[in-house]
Amino acid sequence: MSKADRRSLEKAPEAGSLRYQAGDLEKVSVSEASGSEEGNVGLHEFDIAKQSGLRVTPEQSRRIARKIDFFILPMLCMAQGLSYLDKTALNYGNLYGMKTALNLSGDQFNWFASIFYLGYLIGNYPDSWLLQHYPTGKVLALTTLIWATIVITTPACTNFAGTMINRFFLGLLEAIVTPGLTLLTSIWYAQAEVPFRALIWYSFNGWAGIFGGFVAYGIGHIDHPHIALWKYVFLILGGISVVFAVFLWFFFPDSPVSARFLTAEEKILAVKRVAEAKVGVKNTQFKWYQIKQALVDPKTWLLFVASIAAQIPNGIVSNFSTIIIKGLGFTTLQSTLLDAASSGVQIASLLIAGWICMRFKNMRVITMAAGNITCIIAAACLTYLPSDQKWNRLVAYWFTSFQSVGFSLSLVMISNNIGGFTKKTFTTAITFIGYCVGNIIGPHFLIDSEAPKYVTGTKAMFIGYVIKTICHLALGLYMLWSNIKRDREQGKVTSYEDQLKGEEAGMHDLTEFENPYHRYVL
């Protein structure tokens, strides 16, 4: 950020005509409209809003949000749902003899889940880097097409080694989805809208689980299959992802600035809405100092440890849920349907949590804690209830689906609170390294000799939930302390002039540490 830019933060907005400026915008080249020499996407539009003295009215904000909900949110949801389906296809393949067909022994099948997350770990930051530097829709489309092809080729694998390679590259490509959507949500939505929209697309893990359960149930009723039943799972799900990849290529824009469904005036309003969070829209330049800042930020490491703790239970549940339910005393087909019910609990918990955080101010940390405590109680019941109480243990298992509330809201904390796009991208990557570590470790707590109760696995879930809860509460306390400290030292941000200075600092890609007008949302 130049000295002239820094001085501009001290200037009050000048009056002007938004419609006149918006008309001029249509004549500006895409590269000029997308940012400054610093790679700040939307800075041109923000300057127009500033010069015209624009304040976005609630009605204008709702109108823009409705348009984005109609055009962008469904694609975010589909991307999340299909990536979840494709990576957990093992869950359904295992029901129909995949383990036997590949002549696996011991815990080799568990390694299919783990190797996926090793690929995810390696691909995590490079994939996010691609999203930062290149058009979002094109990057998502190409990676989706490649991972769909990998899923379709899974039935061609005939042994342990071949399937391990297949799963590794699937993880490498799918690593773009959830971290990428975390970044994209803050590019498109106003700060108050982020929790509900993020939890809507994250809930498609649950919708995908329901859909996958019915697909698996339907496959189980094929009377005269021409190939092994487990192979149908991968062919069907991979084929759907291929179609979606083509759709992304043509219809997903990079940011509000390049969105064809917004008028020139609406693009200015869309950028101004996002800028009000004081963390900017998007910056295409890589900045080393922001990496260094992220490495000494306590938030980064609290999110990292919480992510490991959260994903140990997830590594158990997401890949082996049907096996766990079957171990409670249900048949194979019953297990697929009962697993779909747990997905319903997940969806309900996410949507309610998202609505609460959107409707009430500073409820993110409290809602995270509530979801985590629910999981602690559920895991304790799953571990210590007698084996003959299969329905009570099943209900307890369903309530472990609340685990998604804490993790998804931790991603919202990144979207809402981290300034500087390189720092935000890197913090997301660190969080997902923890995500991968937890998912790699998790499946190995399921010990075959402990079937059907898997006591070690349920105890690991319990401990993971406790650690995650402690980290999330510590995160909230740290951010609350930081807000109090800043208010005491610099004064509260109350005037519109101070608000505007904070917005402009964010649009120039300053981090939350550098922006004196930034305050954490809790």
Side-chain angles (χ1 to χ4, degrees), residues 204-453:
F204 270 69
N205 286 355
W207 290 112
I210 293 173
F211 179 75
F214 284 113
V215 169
Y217 187 80
I219 289 171
H221 285 80
I222 297 176
D223 291 330
H224 304 289
H226 297 289
I227 56 176
L229 289 179
W230 68 268
K231 295 184 177 182
Y232 282 104
V233 174
F234 295 92
L235 294 175
I236 292 171
L237 298 181
I240 295 172
S241 295
V242 168
V243 174
F244 180 61
V246 175
F247 188 86
L248 281 174
W249 179 270
F250 291 104
F251 295 105
F252 199 99
D254 181 53
S255 73
V257 175
S258 57
R260 287 178 292 181
F261 61 84
L262 296 176
T263 66
E265 181 179 348
E266 287 172 338
K267 290 175 183 179
I268 297 170
L269 294 169
V271 169
K272 182 66 169 62
R273 278 170 17 101
V274 173
E276 289 172 357
K278 308 185 191 74
V279 293
V281 176
K282 176 181 177 180
N283 183 280
T284 58
Q285 287 192 352
F286 179 84
K287 300 179 180 179
W288 269 111
Y289 87 90
Q290 293 188 6
I291 300 289
K292 295 174 183 176
Q293 192 179 107
L295 289 172
V296 297
D297 188 343
K299 300 191 299 297
T300 302
W301 302 110
L302 287 170
L303 288 166
F304 173 72
V305 175
S307 187
I308 294 175
Q311 298 313 310
I312 288 175
N314 185 68
I316 295 170
V317 171
S318 64
N319 290 288
F320 300 94
S321 57
T322 51
I323 300 301
I324 294 171
I325 294 173
K326 191 175 180 181
L328 296 176
F330 298 96
T331 68
T332 296
L333 289 178
Q334 286 174 335
S335 297
T336 62
L337 294 179
L338 292 172
D339 191 30
S342 68
S343 298
V345 174
Q346 180 187 35
I347 293 166
S349 65
L350 285 167
L351 296 181
I352 292 170
W355 182 83
I356 289 171
C357 293
M358 179 181 66
R359 179 66 179 81
F360 302 102
K361 189 176 181 180
N362 289 330
M363 284 293 291
R364 293 160 178 78
V365 175
I366 294 172
T367 306
M368 291 162 76
N372 294 340
I373 291 168
T374 300
C375 291
I376 292 171
I377 296 170
C381 293
L382 197 58
T383 303
Y384 297 107
L385 283 176
S387 298
D388 59 353
Q389 294 189 24
K390 72 175 185 178
W391 283 103
N392 290 336
R393 294 184 70 225
L394 176 64
V395 171
Y397 169 76
W398 282 343
F399 273 89
T400 63
S401 297
F402 273 68
Q403 68 182 3
S404 296
V405 171
F407 180 68
S408 58
L409 283 176
S410 72
L411 301 183
V412 168
M413 301 305 266
I414 297 173
S415 296
N416 276 167
N417 289 307
I418 305 296
F421 203 76
T422 299
K423 183 181 180 183
K424 182 180 291 186
T425 303
F426 187 76
T427 304
T428 303
I430 291 291
T431 301
F432 275 90
I433 288 173
Y435 171 90
C436 295
V437 170
N439 276 291
I440 290 170
I441 295 171
H444 299 282
F445 286 103
L446 283 182
I447 301 170
D448 287 342
S449 62
E450 293 183 348
K453 202 167 181 181

Side-chain angles (χ1 to χ4, degrees), residues 135-158:
T136 302
K138 302 299 186 286
V139 173
L140 277 177
L142 288 174
T143 50
T144 302
L145 181 63
I146 297 170
W147 101 51
T149 304
I150 292 170
V151 173
I152 289 172
T153 60
T154 303
C157 300
T158 57

Side-chain angles (χ1 to χ4, degrees), residues 41-242:
V41 174
L43 183 58
H44 181 84
E45 288 73 16
F46 179 80
D47 285 341
I48 292 175
K50 178 188 172 187
Q51 291 164 14
S52 63
L54 170 69
R55 298 194 190 193
V56 184
T57 67
E59 177 54 38
Q60 288 172 326
S61 187
R62 285 192 293 270
R63 187 178 80 243
I64 300 298
R66 284 194 297 269
K67 277 198 166 187
I68 296 171
D69 285 344
F70 183 80
F71 288 98
I72 299 298
L73 188 58
M75 288 187 276
L76 301 182
C77 294
M78 283 293 293
Q80 181 68 19
L82 288 176
S83 71
Y84 183 83
L85 267 178
D86 289 347
K87 76 180 178 184
T88 57
L90 280 179
N91 202 3
Y92 307 112
N94 197 14
L95 280 175
Y96 293 120
M98 183 179 181
K99 185 173 182 179
T100 303
L102 296 176
N103 299 311
L104 304 180
S105 58
D107 67 347
Q108 284 184 323
F109 196 83
N110 295 5
W111 278 105
F112 289 162
S114 296
I115 196 67
F116 171 91
Y117 288 103
L118 179 61
Y120 202 115
L121 188 153
I122 294 171
N124 176 16
Y125 190 72
D127 287 350
S128 295
W129 185 91
L130 290 172
L131 282 178
Q132 180 180 8
H133 287 81
Y134 297 101
T136 302
K138 302 299 186 286
V139 173
L140 277 177
L142 288 174
T143 50
T144 302
L145 181 63
I146 297 170
W147 101 51
T149 304
I150 292 170
V151 173
I152 289 172
T153 60
T154 303
C157 300
T158 57
N159 54 37
F160 175 71
T163 309
M164 285 285 283
I165 294 170
N166 178 277
R167 294 288 297 177
F168 172 82
F169 282 103
L170 182 63
L172 193 74
L173 273 299
E174 283 201 17
I176 199 169
V177 180
T178 308
L181 300 190
T182 301
L183 300 172
L184 291 173
T185 307
S186 63
I187 289 174
W188 286 96
Y189 285 103
Q191 188 177 68
E193 297 164 354
V194 167
F196 191 42
R197 270 57 176 200
L199 269 64
I200 286 175
W201 61 251
Y202 200 85
S203 75
F204 270 69
N205 286 355
W207 290 112
I210 293 173
F211 179 75
F214 284 113
V215 169
Y217 187 80
I219 289 171
H221 285 80
I222 297 176
D223 291 330
H224 304 289
H226 297 289
I227 56 176
L229 289 179
W230 68 268
K231 295 184 177 182
Y232 282 104
V233 174
F234 295 92
L235 294 175
I236 292 171
L237 298 181
I240 295 172
S241 295
V242 168

